[in-house]
Amino acid sequence: MSRIHDLGLKLEGIPQLLDEYETAFDSIEANLTLKGKTLDHALKEQSTWPIYYEMRKSELRTIVKYMDDQVNKVRGQLTRKLVENYSRQLGERLLGTYVDAEPEYVKMRELYLEVEELYDKYSAAAEAFTKRGFALRDLTTARVHQIQDSSL
């Protein structure tokens, strides 16, 4: 389910939403580690954690796309304002520079970058669980071969 509606009309829900994702991400190290866990326990975990992080990553990807649209919207509004209110014609490059310096645009861009950073973290977590799955497969295979080599 999309989390865009949690952002609010003026994006007032972003801080709370980002805190929620950050708090959930804080447990990644404990979820990823194999140290102190039995192989059976780790294999059971492997069936749930990857899907959890992939779902969160997907939710964040949608928010990143939405925030990109919001940044473009603000950029467009500011460009129109500058074009309509300036007494002389501004070149495209100069106009872009002026828009980049507008506080409203800078704030929106910062929010976008925060969401994108969180998305990158969850992408890395999902990739780490894929690698963890390969490691568990290799451990399981090694254990099976040890059992087959045992004499009865």
Side-chain angles (χ1 to χ4, degrees):
M1 182 173 169
S2 177
R3 301 293 308 265
I4 292 174
H5 65 279
D6 294 339
L7 299 176
L9 292 176
K10 295 186 179 183
L11 303 175
E12 65 274 0
I14 274 209
Q16 180 182 354
L17 191 65
L18 292 180
D19 284 344
E20 179 185 322
Y21 278 95
E22 283 286 352
T23 302
F25 191 79
D26 288 343
S27 63
I28 182 72
E29 195 172 324
N31 296 339
L32 264 176
T33 190
L34 295 174
K35 196 174 212 171
K37 296 178 182 176
T38 64
L39 185 58
D40 184 51
H41 180 73
L43 287 168
K44 286 177 185 174
E45 279 186 337
Q46 191 61 24
S47 64
T48 56
W49 287 122
I51 207 92
Y52 170 79
Y53 286 100
E54 283 290 342
M55 285 175 50
R56 301 291 268 192
K57 175 184 151 187
S58 177
E59 291 169 1
L60 281 166
R61 185 67 195 143
T62 302
I63 295 171
V64 165
K65 288 178 181 179
Y66 179 78
M67 290 302 296
D68 188 41
D69 290 344
Q70 295 303 305
V71 167
N72 290 334
K73 177 181 164 185
V74 168
R75 185 173 192 79
Q77 290 170 344
L78 291 171
T79 300
R80 182 183 323 154
K81 183 177 119 182
L82 287 172
V83 167
E84 290 173 355
N85 295 332
Y86 245 79
S87 58
R88 66 184 183 111
Q89 178 122 5
L90 295 173
E92 189 175 323
R93 201 168 184 190
L94 187 59
L95 186 61
T97 304
Y98 285 179
V99 169
D100 289 346
E102 287 286 328
E104 185 180 355
Y105 176 76
V106 171
K107 182 178 185 216
M108 188 60 68
R109 185 84 178 128
E110 286 172 355
L111 287 174
Y112 170 81
L113 291 173
E114 285 181 41
V115 173
E116 189 176 45
E117 178 185 355
L118 205 49
Y119 169 76
D120 289 343
K121 286 180 179 180
Y122 273 89
S123 292
E127 179 66 25
F129 272 103
T130 299
K131 290 178 181 177
R132 181 183 189 251
F134 291 134
L136 285 171
R137 180 199 62 199
D138 293 345
L139 281 170
T140 304
T141 302
R143 293 273 169 93
V144 167
H145 289 297
Q146 281 179 339
I147 291 172
Q148 289 176 349
D149 291 340
S150 300
S151 58
L152 296 175

